[in-house]
Structure formats: structure tokens, C-alpha cells
């Protein structure tokens, strides 16, 4: 016998670990069948060897997972097939089983955990770090409120960007709370599928039951020990009668003591403006239908009740619950007005997502990145040649008016652009074929990256979305593409997703999906003026061309984020189920009104971080993951946060900036605020000294509160029985009166606020806050200009009649505008200045 060598004695331990695999073969003989086996070798190699003798190539490995239990013991493929047989899945022959991939995964999860699952609860992935953080923070807040007051009904907001995984994370919170009865009320019924799928596919929620109007079932008949989630649209749960009163149509809702009520996609009033702006280019009847599908019309009443009447949820939703969770991707109004305080908010924004993606890649280069398929956005803006600007510019700063430039008449084949010659030149520009520009490029020896000419950009424009002003413009663009001289565009399949003929809501999606197909061998352009800008995912869209004016950053980015959906292939070669190939690591937004685009970007960054000490920091953080390139007519350069703010502010006017002091968000006239004023004699005396206040009549605040209380009383009565004709008339009259008076109060307070910016011009002490200027340098002038003493104003600010956050933002915008405008003329206004004084805070200049 050979004496063992040292190498034999110190031989390495074998690395083999048993794995379960399953593969399918694409032919009629194996339809619906999976081969389930095991190996201690590389699965890819084992399966290839197994099928080599039969010369089979059309196979796909569906599963490749460890054959280990949680306690470390091992199970075999025989146990997997036996478990499948017990569930009724028949063995066809040898190791072949009639079942789906999800059925095998469910059995694998059962064997690992030692539990039996109803349905196909095969998913076992854990929460990501940010999801666990959201659950922990919310849970801790709820617990702290209940420890202070056992009867408290706490509210919490998740400001979470799409693809945060809100449904899965909400269920994890419910589970941690020990909730047995969860009500999900949504204002976007299209999200129902996600709520059901997540509950019925993950092992953590085995034993939970999902119910909805469509699924049927009575929650009151399910044992209290069994967790139930009831999903309902706002309209289903809170239908209103012709007088606007809530119908008691779902009696069981207030028979149940809910543990958690979730409001999904609740945008706190922004929904109306967003829906209106998104679909305003559509035909009127279509726009109404689209907006109704997108956001339930009944939300308007709820928003009024919550934000103006200062009512609690229980005042409009006939239920009892332990807590409320609000979910929204764009809660700008709630963040700006202090609807929720800092400890009631969890944020997960685009910036957070992209930072996590970069950090994971740096820290775990050899692991699958859970954020890897989420593309980074890039914004490219282009200043149009003077020839085009001349025919479609507006305002003091000659902003390129996209709506005017792309205005059109007619419909279908008869649609034509008003400025057709210039739109054709614009098409030549984005192709890099505009003659004057080509001459400039030769002179400068630079060729700017225009969308459809630069070889680096063209692959990202294989499938693009063009957002145009109206239906006529969409048809006119499609017609222009077909003209003989536009040979380049003939390679693209053009889908006009506009007008009634394109379908309403999700009905407009199939033609796009059919045209795009797999996305590899096709080239498409989708033309829309509102359709498909919300709630749909076309993974292959990699770029969007903004060809219409959009006023709000919420609307702008709601449309832009359509192209940020992930496009990747799991198991790309069919032989490695745990691999993922990312096909869209970046995506693009192209905009041809630079000032407007950068203003939207800066407002978006500031809007998501209203509490940031320096607004520039919020924008800087955003653009660190959303690079901005701007073409100024000669060069394409990258712009930093300061440059974005300078362009956004300099490309406006002092008049427009003054309008920030006319914003309704600057003042609070909800019932809670009005009651605080009413209960404070000094505050009442102060508001009565505001110019024009006495014209509102005696006891105007008291009248508003009393009238709104009367409205609330009548609405409560409507929950229990049909209102009489007299009561309906009274409700209508009372509601009209208090709303009118509240509007007048708001206008007087805003008019008062517009006098405050005058003090920005009265001092050269730029590092002092405006509050210091008023209180320490010009208190007598403040009294003369406003009619209030500094003490009066401080008292009203303390009672939250005025929002200092908004005042800080308005002063900051003015300071940036003033400096940028002076620098443009070669003047450095305050050399060596290191800080800006805002209203009541000081921020670093850079």
C-alpha cells in the first residue's frame, strides 16, 4: 500500500454541495413537464451532459437551488417529487412531473422551512435594508404613540418612489404589528394585482387571506385568528350620493375593528392638478375618462375634509382602526405644508435608490445587485436655434414654447402642424442634419450629441416615448414621419396612443406591446399626449422626448419615470436561473426647453427635501445620480447643482419669483390653524389689523368654523340615512358659504405676505436672515408697510398661519436669481459672500 504524501494528508475539503434543479424542454412531448433532479456538481454542466446524448438543445434550466433545510440537514430530489405528488402533481415518467416552476419552488420552501403552504407561497426573499428600515421606524413610531396614549390612532407616511416594494413592505409591517384585519383603500384601482400577488406568493404570508370586491368573500365570517387583507378602491368603499354624502353601502366595514388601514397612492390634493395636466392634451371626453381611471373623483371631498376641515380619517371613513399608513411617490403638498412631521415620514426617493445601487456594487462586486436593473436617468437639454425660437417663444426670457411650436390642426390623416416647416427642421436637428448647425460643428470641430444622430445615444432610442401637446400633434407627427423625404423615420414602427380610438387606460397598451415585441429586432416610437404616462410598464422604453409644456414637477417626473422601468433578462442563456442580464443600465430624458426643464428639476429636488437646510444641497444630491447635460447652441456641457439653480432662476423674472409669495401653500387656513387664532385674543387682534380684513365681516373665522362644523354634522347624518331635501339644500348652502369665506381669508393673508419680500431690497446685509432685517433693522418700517408689529407677525408665524419653510424657499430663489442676473452682466454683487440669509435661517452659499 502506497504511503500517503503530505499533499494527500492535507488534501482540500471537497466544495460540493447538493443542489436541486429543474429544467424544461420546448417541444410538444414535454409540454407542461419539468425534469426535477439533484447533483453535487455544477448544474449547468450536469444538465448539458445529461441531454448531450439525446442531442437535445432546446432546453431551459428553470431552477437551481440548494438542497438544504434551515437546520442544515439535506433533502433529496425524491422528497421534492414525493411532495409534489402529495399535492396532486403526477409523475409522467421517471423524474418528469406535470407542474409549474412556482409549484416546485413552493415545495422547496416547504422542505426548507418544515411548513406546509396553501397556494403557491414559494417566494422566500427577505426585506431589503431600506424596507426593513421603513418597517422598524413605522413600528417604533406607532408603539411610542400607543405608549403615550392607548387610544391614539397614529398616522405615518411612506414617501416611496415606485419599485420600492410598498405592497410587500406594508404586509411585513402588518405582520410585525400582529395585525389580523388590514384594509387597503386605493385611489388607483389598477394596483390591485400587486397587492394580491405579493400576499399569495411569499412564504411569510402563508395563511393570510386576500379579499376584494372582485374576489368575493365576507371578512366578518373569517375566524379572528386568521389574518385578512381587504382591498378596495375608494369608490367601492366610500361611494357618495348625488349630494356628495358617503353611502353606508358596505355595512361590514364599520363592523370590523381594523388593525391597520392603508391609503395607497394618496397624493394629498396634487392628484387633481397632476391628472388634469397629464391628460389636458386629450379630447375632453377622453381626458375625463382617463383622469377618472387614474384618480377617483371622490378623493376631492376627502382632501377637503382632511386638509381644510382638519377632520380625522374616521370622519369620512366609517371605521375604527388602530393606525393609518399612507403611501405616495409624490407627496409634495404633504411634505411642504407639514401635513406630517419629520418623525412621521419615511423617505425612499430616486436618489436613495441610485445611491443604494452604487454602494451595493462597490461593496459586493461579485454578488447579484438587487438594485442593479434600476436604470440611472440622464437629462439632456437643448437650446434651439434662433430661427426656431423666433416662431415659438414666450415671456420675458424667450422660453421656447413647446405647445406653440408643436401646435397642430385636424385629426388622423388630415392632421398637420401649424409650423410644419420648422417642425421638419427640428426633426433634422435631432438627426444632426440641420445645415447651419453642421457648419458650426465644422468650425468648432465638435459634434453635439443630438438624440437620433449620436452613435452613443441611438441604441437608447430604439424604443422611445414622445410626449406631445395634444391629439392633433400626435397625428401630425405620425403623418410627417411617413412623408417620402423622411426616410430615416420609416425604419420605426410609430404607434399613435392618443384620442378615443387608441383606447382608454390600459386598453391603449396592447398596440404598443405588439409593436415592441421582445424589443430586440424592432424599433418603435410611441406618440402620446397623456395616455400611458401613469401606471404602465413598457420595459423597452429607454428614452422620453418632452415635447410639451408641463407646469408641475410631479407631472414632469411622473411622465419621465415611465422610461426608468427595469429591463433585464433573468436566466439569459437558459442555463443559470440565478443570473440576470441588465439590458437598460441607463435611460434618457430629452428636453428642448432648457430653462423650464431645469426649473422642474430644481423644484423636484427641493420638493422632495423641503426640510433641507440649503435647497442647493437637495438639488446637488439629486443630480449626483441624475447627470444633466445642456447644449447651449455651441457646446454640450455638464451642469452642477449651482448651475442648474442659476439657469432655473435667471431664466425667470423678479415678477415670477414674487409669485412664490402668492402661493396658497404659504398660508394655512385649515380649521385647526383658525381655531388656534380664534383661541388667542392677541392673534385675533393681529389679524383684524391686516388691511382689508374688516371687509370680510364680523367674526369671519368663527363663521367659517361654525359653518364647516355644520357641514360635518350634516355629512355625518348622511351616513346613517338619506338627507331630506331641506337638509340637502342647507348642506349645499353652508358648504358654499364657508368655502367662499375661507378663500377670502386666504387671499387676505397672501396679500399680506406679498409685502414681506420688499424687505429683501432694503438691506445690503446679505448674510442676515430676513427675519433679522425686519425685527432688528426695520421694525418701524415693517409696521408702516404691513400694518402689523413684528410681535404680531411672530405670533402668527408661531401659530403656523404662515409657513416659514416656504418663505425660506422664496427668499433663496430670489437671492440666486439676483446673483445670477448680475453675474450675467459681469457684476459680482457681493464679493467674498459665503452665506445667504433666508427668512429665518442662514445657508452656505456653495
Amino acid at each position: 500500500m502506497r504511503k500517503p504524501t503530505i499533499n494527500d494528508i492535507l488534501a482540500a475539503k471537497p466544495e460540493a454541495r447538493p443542489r436541486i434543479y429543474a429544467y424544461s424542454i420546448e417541444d410538444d412531448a414535454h409540454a407542461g413537464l419539468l425534469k426535477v433532479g439533484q447533483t453535487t456538481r455544477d448544474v449547468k454542466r450536469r444538465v448539458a451532459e445529461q441531454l448531450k446524448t439525446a442531442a437535445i438543445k432546446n432546453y431551459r434550466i428553470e431552477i437551481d437551488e440548494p438542497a438544504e433545510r434551515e437546520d442544515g440537514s439535506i433533502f433529496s430530489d425524491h422528497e421534492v417529487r414525493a411532495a409534489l405528488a402529495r399535492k396532486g402533481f403526477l409523475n409522467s415518467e421517471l423524474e418528469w412531473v406535470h407542474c409549474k416552476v412556482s409549484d416546485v419552488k413552493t415545495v422547496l420552501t416547504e422542505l426548507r422551512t418544515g411548513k406546509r403552504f396553501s397556494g403557491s407561497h414559494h417566494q422566500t426573499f427577505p426585506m431589503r435594508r431600506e424596507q426593513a428600515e421603513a418597517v422598524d421606524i413605522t413600528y417604533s413610531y406607532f408603539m411610542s404613540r400607543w405608549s403615550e396614549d392607548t387610544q391614539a390612532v397614529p398616522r405615518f407616511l411612506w414617501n416611496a418612489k415606485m419599485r420600492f416594494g410598498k405592497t410587500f413592505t406594508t404586509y411585513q409591517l402588518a405582520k410585525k404589528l400582529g395585525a389580523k384585519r388590514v384594509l387597503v383603500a386605493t385611489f388607483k384601482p389598477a394596483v390591485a394585482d400587486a397587492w394580491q400577488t405579493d400576499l399569495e406568493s411569499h412564504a411569510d404570508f402563508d395563511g393570510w387571506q386576500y379579499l376584494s370586491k372582485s374576489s368575493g368573500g365576507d371578512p366578518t365570517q373569517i375566524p379572528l385568528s386568521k389574518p385578512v387583507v381587504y382591498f378596495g378602491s375608494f369608490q367601492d368603499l366610500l361611494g357618495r350620493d348625488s349630494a356628495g354624502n358617503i353611502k353606508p353601502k358596505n355595512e361590514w366595514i364599520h363592523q370590523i375593528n381594523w388593525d391597520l388601514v392603508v391609503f395607497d397612492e394618496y397624493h394629498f390634493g396634487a392628484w387633481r392638478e397632476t391628472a388634469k395636466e397629464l391628460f389636458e392634451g386629450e379630447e375632453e371626453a377622453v381626458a375625463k375618462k382617463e383622469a377618472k381611471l387614474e384618480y377617483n373623483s371622490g378623493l376631492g371631498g376627502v382632501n377637503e375634509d382632511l386638509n381644510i376641515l382638519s377632520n380625522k380619517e374616521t370622519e369620512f371613513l366609517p371605521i375604527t382602526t388602530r393606525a393609518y399608513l399612507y403611501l405616495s411617490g409624490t407627496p409634495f403638498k404633504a411634505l411642504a405644508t407639514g401635513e406630517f412631521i419629520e418623525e412621521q415620514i419615511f423617505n425612499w426617493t430616486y436618489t436613495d435608490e441610485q445611491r443604494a445601487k452604487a454602494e451595493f456594487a462597490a461593496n459586493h462586486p461579485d454578488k447579484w445587485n438587487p438594485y442593479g436593473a434600476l436604470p440611472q436617468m440622464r437629462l439632456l437639454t437643448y437650446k434651439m436655434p434662433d430661427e426656431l425660437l423666433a416662431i415659438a417663444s414666450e415671456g420675458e426670457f424667450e422660453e421656447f414654447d413647446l405647445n406653440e411650436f408643436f401646435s397642430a390642426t385636424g385629426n388622423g390623416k388630415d392632421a398637420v402642424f401649424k409650423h410644419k416647416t420648422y417642425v421638419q427642421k427640428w426633426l433634422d436637428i435631432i438627426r444632426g442634419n440641420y445645415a447651419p448647425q453642421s457648419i458650426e460643428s465644422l468650425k468648432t470641430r465638435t459634434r453635439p450629441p443630438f438624440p437620433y444622430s449620436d452613435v452613443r445615444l441611438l441604441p437608447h432610442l430604439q424604443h422611445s416615448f414622445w410626449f406631445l401637446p395634444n391629439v392633433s400633434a400626435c397625428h401630425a407627427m405620425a403623418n410627417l414621419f411617413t412623408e417620402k423625404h423622411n426616410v430615416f423615420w420609416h425604419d420605426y414602427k410609430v404607434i399613435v396612443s392618443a384620442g378615443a380610438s387608441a383606447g382608454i387606460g390600459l386598453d391603449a397598451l396592447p398596440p404598443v406591446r405588439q409593436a415592441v415585441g421582445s424589443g430586440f429586432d424592432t424599433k418603435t416610437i410611441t406618440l402620446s399626449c397623456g395616455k400611458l404616462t401613469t401606471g404602465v410598464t413598457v420595459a423597452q422604453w429607454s428614452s422620453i422626448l418632452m415635447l410639451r409644456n408641463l407646469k408641475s414637477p410631479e407631472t414632469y417626473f411622473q411622465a419621465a419615470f415611465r422610461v426608468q422601468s427595469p429591463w433585464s433578462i433573468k436566466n439569459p442563456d437558459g442555463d443559470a436561473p440565478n443570473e440576470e442580464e441588465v439590458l437598460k443600465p441607463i435611460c434618457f430624458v430629452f428636453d428642448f426647453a432648457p430653462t423650464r426643464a431645469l426649473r422642474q428639476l430644481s423644484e423636484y429636488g427641493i420638493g422632495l427635501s423641503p426640510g433641507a437646510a440649503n435647497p442647493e444641497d437637495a438639488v446637488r444630491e439629486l443630480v449626483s445620480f441624475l447627470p444633466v447635460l445642456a447644449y447651449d447652441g455651441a457646446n454640450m456641457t455638464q451642469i452642477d447643482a449651482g448651475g442648474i439653480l442659476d439657469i432655473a432662476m435667471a431664466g425667470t423674472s423678479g415678477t415670477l419669483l414674487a409669485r412664490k409669495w402668492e402661493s396658497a401653500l404659504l398660508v394655512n387656513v385649515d380649521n385647526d390653524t383658525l381655531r388656534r387664532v380664534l383661541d388667542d385674543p392677541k392673534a385675533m387682534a393681529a389679524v383684524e389689523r391686516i388691511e382689508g380684513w374688516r371687509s370680510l365681516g364680523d367674526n369671519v373665522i368663527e363663521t367659517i368654523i361654525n359653518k364647516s362644523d355644520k357641514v360635518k354634522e350634516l355629512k355625518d347624518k348622511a351616513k346613517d340615512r338619506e338627507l331630506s331635501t331641506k337638509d340637502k339644500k342647507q348642506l349645499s348652502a353652508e358648504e358654499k358659504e364657508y368655502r367662499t369665506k375661507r378663500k377670502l381669508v386666504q387671499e387676505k393673508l397672501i396679500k399680506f405676505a406679498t409685502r414681506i419680500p420688499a424687505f429683501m431690497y432694503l438691506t445690503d446685509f446679505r448674510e442676515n436672515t430676513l427675519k433679522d432685517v425686519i425685527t432688528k433693522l426695520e421694525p418701524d418700517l415693517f409696521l408702516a408697510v404691513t400694518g402689523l408689529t413684528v410681535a404680531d407677525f411672530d405670533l402668527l408665524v408661531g401659530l403656523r398661519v404662515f409657513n416659514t419653510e416656504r418663505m425660506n424657499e422664496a427668499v433663496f430663489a430670489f437671492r440666486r436669481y439676483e446673483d445670477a442676473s448680475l453675474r450675467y452682466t459681469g457684476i459680482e454683487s457681493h464679493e467674498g459672500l459665503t452665506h445667504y440669509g433666508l427668512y429665518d435661517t442662514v445657508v452656505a452659499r456653495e
Side-chain angles (χ1 to χ4, degrees):
M1 179 176 163
R2 183 178 70 86
K3 183 180 178 180
T5 66
I6 290 179
N7 287 338
D8 292 334
I9 294 169
L10 302 179
K13 179 187 174 185
E15 290 296 322
R17 296 174 68 179
R19 298 187 73 80
I20 299 293
Y21 63 84
Y23 64 81
S24 59
I25 296 177
E26 294 180 25
D27 61 25
D28 293 339
H30 295 89
L33 292 171
L34 287 175
K35 167 69 179 288
V36 179
Q38 74 178 63
T39 183
T40 56
R41 299 164 55 201
D42 178 76
V43 168
K44 190 189 300 188
R45 189 176 303 165
R46 174 74 182 101
V47 173
E49 290 174 354
Q50 201 177 103
L51 297 173
K52 187 176 182 181
T53 53
I56 294 174
K57 296 181 180 180
N58 57 333
Y59 66 89
R60 178 182 174 85
I61 300 174
E62 307 284 1
I63 293 173
D64 175 3
E65 295 190 12
E68 300 166 13
R69 293 187 176 90
E70 290 179 350
D71 62 5
S73 60
I74 292 169
F75 56 85
S76 69
D77 59 339
H78 296 286
E79 292 174 83
V80 175
R81 291 192 295 274
L84 286 166
R86 285 195 298 272
K87 286 178 173 282
F89 300 110
L90 301 176
N91 281 44
S92 172
E93 56 176 294
L94 298 175
E95 297 173 345
W96 289 90
V97 185
H98 274 284
C99 66
K100 294 181 291 187
V101 174
S102 60
D103 300 322
V104 180
K105 288 188 173 182
T106 300
V107 164
L108 289 174
T109 304
E110 289 177 345
L111 290 169
R112 278 197 202 99
T113 61
K115 299 175 183 176
R116 289 294 302 275
F117 297 121
S118 57
S120 59
H121 291 80
H122 62 278
Q123 301 284 9
T124 57
F125 57 84
M127 284 187 284
R128 297 193 306 271
R129 175 189 54 79
E130 68 275 6
Q131 293 172 329
E133 185 181 346
V135 170
D136 290 343
I137 290 174
T138 311
Y139 178 83
S140 297
Y141 176 74
F142 285 167
M143 289 300 168
S144 68
R145 290 288 291 116
W146 288 327
S147 66
E148 295 168 4
D149 178 4
T150 55
Q151 301 303 311
V153 182
R155 306 160 74 233
F156 203 95
L157 168 67
W158 287 357
N159 166 29
K161 178 189 171 290
M162 59 183 180
R163 281 176 280 281
F164 165 70
K166 62 185 179 183
T167 55
F168 170 66
T169 313
T170 297
Y171 288 146
Q172 293 289 1
L173 172 64
K175 186 177 180 182
K176 185 163 185 172
L177 289 168
K180 301 297 183 185
R181 295 294 181 268
V182 178
L183 176 65
V184 179
T186 184
F187 305 101
K188 290 177 71 175
V191 300
D193 184 60
W195 285 99
Q196 183 170 4
T197 301
D198 278 10
L199 193 73
E200 295 181 348
S201 63
H202 201 282
D204 285 355
F205 314 122
D206 181 51
W208 289 55
Q209 187 159 351
Y210 176 92
L211 297 176
S212 67
K213 180 181 177 182
S214 58
S215 73
D218 183 353
T220 62
Q221 302 304 308
I222 297 172
L224 291 175
S225 59
K226 186 180 178 70
V228 174
V229 175
Y230 188 88
F231 177 93
S233 72
F234 184 80
Q235 188 171 18
D236 289 341
L237 297 175
L238 305 173
R240 290 176 178 260
D241 61 22
S242 56
N245 305 308
I246 298 161
K247 295 177 180 178
K249 56 184 288 188
N250 294 313
E251 289 293 333
W252 58 269
I253 293 177
H254 53 90
Q255 292 173 4
I256 293 177
N257 293 319
W258 298 95
D259 296 310
L260 179 66
V261 172
V262 182
F263 286 135
D264 186 22
E265 296 293 351
Y266 193 26
H267 302 311
F268 301 93
W271 70 277
R272 279 178 294 188
E273 290 76 15
T274 303
K276 183 180 178 183
E277 187 173 11
L278 277 174
F279 302 114
E280 65 185 3
E282 279 285 356
E283 300 153 355
E284 186 176 355
V286 174
K288 286 181 178 178
K289 290 179 182 178
E290 293 281 5
K292 188 175 180 181
L293 275 177
E294 178 60 20
Y295 294 103
N296 189 279
S297 56
L299 180 55
V302 176
N303 186 66
E304 171 78 13
D305 289 347
L306 274 178
N307 294 327
I308 303 298
L309 302 181
S310 308
N311 281 353
K312 304 302 180 190
E313 285 78 358
T314 48
E315 299 296 339
F316 68 86
L317 190 61
I319 59 168
T320 55
T321 183
R322 291 187 71 212
Y324 289 96
L325 177 66
Y326 293 80
L327 308 174
S328 178
T330 53
F332 282 39
K333 186 175 180 183
L335 294 173
T337 59
E339 179 74 22
F340 293 85
I341 60 176
E342 189 175 349
E343 64 180 17
Q344 290 175 279
I345 303 171
F346 172 79
N347 295 300
W348 184 255
T349 64
Y350 166 80
T351 305
D352 296 319
E353 168 199 282
Q354 292 297 314
R355 186 189 299 108
K357 175 182 173 180
E359 288 175 354
F360 193 97
N363 297 332
H364 310 284
D366 300 325
K367 291 187 177 179
W368 172 76
N369 189 336
Y371 313 97
L374 297 168
Q376 186 183 92
M377 297 180 76
R378 279 92 191 272
L379 172 62
L380 273 64
T381 69
Y382 300 85
K383 180 178 181 291
M384 290 292 96
D386 292 341
E387 181 185 9
L388 273 63
L389 288 174
I391 61 137
S393 294
E394 61 171 13
E396 181 182 349
F397 288 88
E398 295 295 296
E399 287 187 354
F400 190 44
D401 185 351
L402 294 166
N403 288 2
E404 170 60 26
F405 185 77
F406 290 106
S407 60
T409 57
N411 219 325
K413 296 295 182 185
D414 299 323
V416 63
F417 284 114
K418 178 180 171 184
H419 308 292
K420 181 180 176 182
T421 300
Y422 293 97
V423 175
Q424 179 64 59
K425 288 181 179 181
W426 174 81
L427 283 177
D428 294 339
I429 288 170
I430 65 174
R431 280 279 298 116
N433 288 341
Y434 181 60
Q437 225 154 36
S438 299
I439 295 169
E440 285 296 321
S441 295
L442 288 171
K443 288 179 181 177
T444 60
R445 296 186 179 180
T446 59
R447 188 174 176 83
F450 286 102
Y452 284 89
S453 68
D454 192 281
V455 291
R456 294 163 295 182
L457 293 176
L458 271 172
H460 301 283
L461 287 147
Q462 188 172 347
H463 301 284
S464 61
F465 184 93
W466 292 27
F467 199 12
L468 286 148
N470 52 43
V471 178
S472 293
C474 292
H475 286 292
M477 186 65 78
N479 294 340
L480 191 55
F481 282 150
T482 61
E483 295 193 4
K484 288 183 180 180
H485 58 274
N486 280 320
V487 178
F488 172 82
W489 304 104
H490 296 173
D491 289 343
Y492 290 83
K493 170 69 176 175
V494 178
I495 309 101
V496 179
S497 185
S501 60
I504 304 297
L506 293 177
D507 291 341
L509 190 56
V512 177
R513 291 221 189 280
Q514 185 177 2
V516 171
S518 66
F520 298 111
D521 302 319
T522 54
K523 294 166 71 176
T524 66
I525 293 173
T526 301
L527 305 174
S528 170
C529 58
K531 291 184 193 297
L532 307 180
T533 51
T534 64
V536 301
T537 299
V538 178
Q540 294 86 351
W541 282 342
S542 300
S543 55
I544 181 170
L545 277 68
M546 294 293 194
L547 307 178
R548 60 176 285 187
N549 301 338
L550 291 169
K551 295 183 282 291
S552 75
E554 295 100 316
T555 316
Y556 189 93
F557 280 93
Q558 183 148 349
F561 277 131
R562 287 307 97 203
V563 301
Q564 208 243 336
S565 57
W567 185 21
S568 65
I569 301 177
K570 301 281 180 64
N571 195 3
D573 299 318
D575 56 9
N578 301 318
E579 288 184 9
E580 179 181 29
E581 184 174 341
V582 177
L583 300 174
K584 191 170 74 175
I586 57 175
C587 59
F588 289 87
V589 178
F590 297 101
D591 202 304
F592 302 88
T595 303
R596 189 179 287 114
L598 297 180
R599 191 182 306 134
Q600 300 281 25
L601 183 71
S602 64
E603 288 182 8
Y604 184 74
I606 294 169
L608 286 177
S609 305
N614 186 345
E616 187 170 339
D617 290 341
V619 177
R620 182 180 293 111
E621 190 175 31
L622 175 61
V623 298
S624 65
F625 295 105
L626 202 163
V628 177
L629 296 178
Y631 175 67
D632 61 5
N635 300 297
M636 182 68 106
T637 55
Q638 187 169 355
I639 312 180
D640 61 13
I644 288 168
L645 286 165
D646 285 346
I647 294 170
M649 299 309 167
T652 183
S653 67
T655 304
L656 287 174
L657 287 172
R659 287 181 190 163
K660 284 182 175 288
W661 293 89
E662 298 173 9
S663 167
L665 294 177
L666 194 70
V667 301
N668 295 317
V669 290
D670 58 279
N671 276 10
D672 281 349
T673 303
L674 294 182
R675 282 194 179 95
R676 287 195 294 271
V677 173
L678 190 62
D679 293 342
D680 189 321
K682 290 183 179 178
M684 281 300 299
V687 295
E688 286 172 357
R689 284 195 289 275
I690 292 175
E691 183 184 338
W693 188 273
R694 295 195 180 280
S695 67
L696 300 178
D698 296 333
N699 307 317
V700 63
I701 292 179
E702 197 169 357
T703 301
I704 291 170
I705 293 172
N706 290 340
K707 295 287 184 185
S708 56
D709 284 345
K710 185 63 179 176
V711 167
K712 174 182 171 297
E713 181 186 325
L714 288 167
K715 286 185 175 182
D716 285 343
K717 189 188 292 186
K719 294 175 186 175
D720 301 321
R721 60 178 174 79
E722 180 74 14
L723 288 179
S724 65
T725 304
K726 180 182 177 182
D727 281 343
K728 287 180 181 178
K729 285 183 179 179
Q730 185 182 5
L731 174 62
S732 177
E734 303 276 10
E735 200 161 11
K736 184 177 180 180
E737 184 176 355
Y738 90 72
R739 288 192 185 197
T740 301
K741 288 186 178 295
R742 195 189 302 276
K743 183 73 174 172
L744 291 171
V745 167
Q746 186 182 56
E747 288 171 357
K748 295 299 180 190
L749 292 172
I750 290 173
K751 185 177 180 181
F752 171 86
T754 59
R755 297 183 176 184
I756 297 171
F759 291 86
M760 290 188 291
Y761 299 94
L762 297 177
T763 179
D764 208 37
F765 294 97
R766 296 295 299 276
E767 295 190 10
N768 286 68
T769 65
L770 191 58
K771 183 177 180 181
D772 284 343
V773 173
I774 292 169
T775 58
K776 296 174 184 176
L777 302 177
E778 303 286 355
D780 294 335
L781 184 61
F782 185 81
L783 175 61
V785 170
T786 67
L788 293 190
T789 66
V790 168
D792 288 337
F793 185 59
D794 274 350
L795 176 60
L796 295 179
V797 169
L799 294 174
R800 297 293 294 169
V801 175
F802 299 97
N803 285 324
T804 54
E805 295 87 355
R806 282 280 163 174
M807 290 194 280
N808 280 326
E809 185 187 326
V811 178
F812 178 80
F814 176 80
R815 298 297 190 211
R816 293 295 311 213
Y817 161 70
E818 186 180 36
D819 278 0
S821 300
L822 289 171
R823 269 201 304 274
Y824 181 74
T825 61
I827 300 171
E828 182 65 38
S829 64
H830 292 76
E831 204 166 332
L833 184 70
T834 59
H835 290 76
Y836 285 135
L838 305 186
Y839 173 73
D840 65 356
T841 190
V842 176
V843 301
R845 187 183 185 192
E846 298 296 342

